[in-house]
Amino acid sequence: MNGVAILGYASMDHVLALEGPPALGRTTHVTRRDAAAWGRPGGAPYFVARAMAAAGVAHPAPVSWIGDDADGAAYRAAVARCGADDRGLAVIAGGRTPLTMMVYDPTGECMCLYDALEHGAGTDIVTPAQADLIATARCMCLTVAPAQATRAALALCADTARVAWVAKHDARALPDDLLRAVAGRADIIFFSETEGPLVRDALAAAAPRAGRMLVETHGPRGAVLEMADGRTARPPVAALRVDDPCGAGDTLAGGMLAHLLAHPHDPVGALDAGIGAAFALLESRQKESRDEPFNG
């Protein structure tokens, strides 16, 4: 067992900023739409896998579903280009690759609109190739995914596999019983400050697990690590102003998991590595914003 499988939704992201909050019956002008962020590969499995590959993990495998369209081909190429394994990407015949609209208002708040593959088109079925990647993984990372696929992944993964959960608030993907099952199986859980109540309620109702770690992200204020022995760590973070933080939390998770695979007894160093990976992503976004003219 030496693989890494990351289950979740694929997406081609489209990012824009508005002059003010959108309202029905009123025109709201776009203030920024960068070419680099218009049809950009995204989704938690991609960001996690890219960060792990950049940290030296060999061929982490996103497990997801894409269409057999131009966006699907671009997504698959991006996965391979970043050093990840594209064998976990199931291509749905006649399907349209999912897209996400990330719409930011002037305060930095984001409205996320997700257009999934058509329901019932095989997008929640774990294929034999995907099942093999999950069953042989020494580390399985669960992100937001179709509920049926998450149930299958929990059943397939080895008892000895380390399971990470990158939590997202999505009741369709995680009905209550599955939420408890994922929380109970996870060895390390990543969640944002706003998702904290969801995760902690699920843990209160789930079976305890020895050695479990929690990582709560606080946006520009960094992240807090809660270790199984009761210790906590909150490394200092450098100030960085960005207009598009999408994927930073997933990248932190990927960077931290990569460090833990190589150094399982160094959780504080792992958090430092995760924060560094997220910082590098956001720094690259700053450069893209400076270099790219307005395209609205």
Side-chain angles (χ1 to χ4, degrees):
M1 295 178 63
N2 56 11
V4 176
I6 307 123
L7 178 72
Y9 289 119
S11 171
M12 290 298 284
D13 291 348
H14 297 73
V15 181
L16 53 84
L18 305 180
E19 65 176 357
L24 295 175
R26 190 187 75 190
T27 297
T28 302
H29 286 266
V30 173
T31 58
R32 188 164 199 89
R33 177 168 61 85
D34 295 344
W38 198 255
R40 177 183 71 196
Y46 173 76
F47 285 117
V48 173
R50 186 173 73 163
M52 295 188 81
V57 175
H59 309 302
V63 176
S64 194
W65 300 262
I66 56 177
D68 61 351
D69 54 1
D71 278 348
Y75 192 88
R76 185 165 220 154
V79 166
R81 191 164 54 246
C82 78
D85 187 343
D86 66 359
R87 291 178 300 158
L89 298 177
V91 179
I92 305 301
R96 184 186 62 247
T97 297
L99 67 83
T100 300
M101 295 291 297
M102 309 290 295
V103 184
Y104 291 94
D105 75 7
T107 71
E109 291 296 316
C110 182
M111 178 169 57
C112 179
L113 307 175
Y114 184 64
D115 182 18
L117 269 166
E118 295 86 351
H119 180 71
T123 57
D124 58 353
I125 297 171
V126 173
T127 67
Q130 291 172 330
D132 182 63
L133 288 167
I134 294 168
T136 58
R138 62 170 168 154
C139 175
M140 182 177 69
C141 182
L142 300 172
T143 73
V144 64
Q148 182 174 325
T150 301
R151 293 184 196 279
L154 286 175
L156 285 164
C157 78
D159 292 341
T160 56
R162 169 168 258 174
V163 174
W165 174 30
V166 181
K168 297 287 191 295
H169 202 306
D170 187 330
R172 179 185 295 183
L174 287 174
D176 288 344
D177 66 313
L178 185 55
L179 180 64
R180 291 191 297 272
V182 170
R185 180 62 180 86
D187 298 293
I188 180 168
I189 303 175
F190 300 89
F191 55 97
S192 71
E193 196 172 8
T194 57
E195 291 154 348
L198 173 81
V199 169
R200 295 184 192 280
D201 287 349
L203 285 171
R209 189 164 183 84
R212 179 183 288 129
M213 291 183 288
L214 307 180
V215 180
E216 183 172 274
T217 60
H218 294 170
R221 292 179 288 118
V224 178
L225 167 65
E226 299 178 29
M227 289 166 272
D229 60 8
R231 291 179 299 147
T232 63
R234 183 169 196 154
V237 295
L240 189 65
R241 168 91 166 87
V242 292
D243 297 325
D244 174 24
C246 174
D250 301 322
T251 298
L252 183 150
M256 185 169 178
L257 289 173
H259 187 95
L260 284 172
L261 287 175
H263 309 282
H265 303 298
D266 184 23
V268 177
L271 180 56
D272 282 335
I275 290 172
F279 188 90
L281 172 74
L282 297 179
E283 200 170 37
S284 72
R285 296 268 174 82
Q286 275 191 330
K287 183 178 185 304
E288 287 170 359
S289 293
R290 289 194 300 265
D291 293 348
E292 185 65 40
F294 171 67
N295 191 32

